[in-house]
Amino acid sequence: ANESLHTSSNFTIVQEEPKGTFFDKAMADAKTSRYVIFGFGLGAAMILGLIFLVLIQTPGVLTTMVWSIVIGIFIGLIGAGHYMSRKSAIWMAQGIRDDREIIGLFWLSRISYVASGLWFVTICCLRKRIVLAIACVKEASRAMAAMPIITILPIIQAVGLFVFCIPWGIFMAYLASSGEITAECMCSLDQDDDTEDSLILLNSTNISNSTNGTAIISDDSTGCGEGCFLYKSFSYSQNTKYAGLYMLFVWFWTSQFIVAIGQLVVSISTAMWYFTKNKIGVGD
């Protein structure tokens, strides 16, 4: 938004607004990155997900992956503590840092050592739960392999969300257009004029000039004079603003409801598959 520099009852002088709004820039960025968004974000992500689904069914792959991450975090905390401890000693020996930085880095190294010890104790206490979680992920991957139709569930959810967006967008468009239109005249001021006493005559209204910026003058008439253009904006009542907040709540509630339905479908399907004794006909 424009930043106000000077106000009075007749006019407001503001800084010149940068070219393009946030929405315009966001749409331009989306158009420029459309191949990355729709190519890698949708196509490649689905392919990599299916490959990962096959890999974690291979014996030892998921177990190695999980425990490598757990051990890697432990080693990383110890390594960070050792590095900061040595670095603080080097700074103290060379005298290239002040005492606060040396003491701060020293205690950060001790915090890293303590965090590594707490991590080790936590992993030792939760090792059986980690093994159980690995087994659950393996069974879930087998269920998805036996019921591949689950993989198109996100597409069905996206279609449902799109259908919801049609009436929701119509209501939002009607709500956005229900405000009162305020007409104003916007005139570019002469930036090369260094005199402070110069005046601009606009519909019989004298306004002060500025060395830079733009003047916005409230005006009810249709003509703004030479060098000016008519600027219109919407002003909304308090009830309209509350209605907009309600529509925002409707959007979040409905979208998360669709996501929750997908989670229920996947979880119930996996549970039914797991407790089915004869799995030969499942997925046919």
Side-chain angles (χ1 to χ4, degrees), residues 17 21 73 78 81 111 120-122 130 155 207 209 218 231 240:
E17 184 179 3
T21 62
I73 293 174
I78 293 179
I111 292 173
F120 179 79
V121 173
T122 302
I130 295 175
I155 300 177
I207 64 173
N209 199 356
S218 298
Y231 174 80
T240 304

Side-chain angles (χ1 to χ4, degrees), residues 181-185 202-203 205 217-224 230-232:
I181 300 177
T182 303
E184 296 175 325
C185 290
L202 179 62
N203 295 328
T205 303
I217 301 90
S218 298
D219 184 23
D220 294 333
S221 62
T222 56
C224 293
L230 190 64
Y231 174 80
K232 296 182 180 180

Side-chain angles (χ1 to χ4, degrees), residues 161-271:
L161 186 61
F162 175 77
V163 173
F164 160 74
C165 285
I166 295 175
W168 186 85
I170 294 174
F171 285 124
M172 284 299 296
Y174 175 78
L175 191 64
S177 61
S178 62
E180 296 182 0
I181 300 177
T182 303
E184 296 175 325
C185 290
M186 179 175 289
C187 302
S188 297
L189 300 177
D190 189 4
Q191 300 186 12
D192 297 330
D193 191 356
D194 295 333
T195 62
E196 297 181 357
D197 298 331
S198 59
L199 299 175
I200 295 178
L201 180 63
L202 179 62
N203 295 328
S204 302
T205 303
N206 291 329
I207 64 173
S208 300
N209 199 356
S210 175
T211 56
N212 56 9
T214 307
I216 302 178
I217 301 90
S218 298
D219 184 23
D220 294 333
S221 62
T222 56
C224 293
E226 185 179 357
C228 303
F229 61 91
L230 190 64
Y231 174 80
K232 296 182 180 180
S233 60
F234 283 91
S235 58
Y236 299 98
S237 64
Q238 199 68 22
N239 289 335
T240 304
K241 294 179 180 179
Y242 287 146
L245 292 176
Y246 174 74
M247 293 300 296
L248 183 63
F249 166 77
V250 170
W251 163 263
F252 283 120
W253 191 92
T254 307
S255 60
Q256 294 307 307
F257 177 79
I258 295 174
V259 172
I261 289 295
Q263 293 173 347
L264 286 174
V265 170
V266 173
S267 60
I268 294 175
S269 300
T270 304

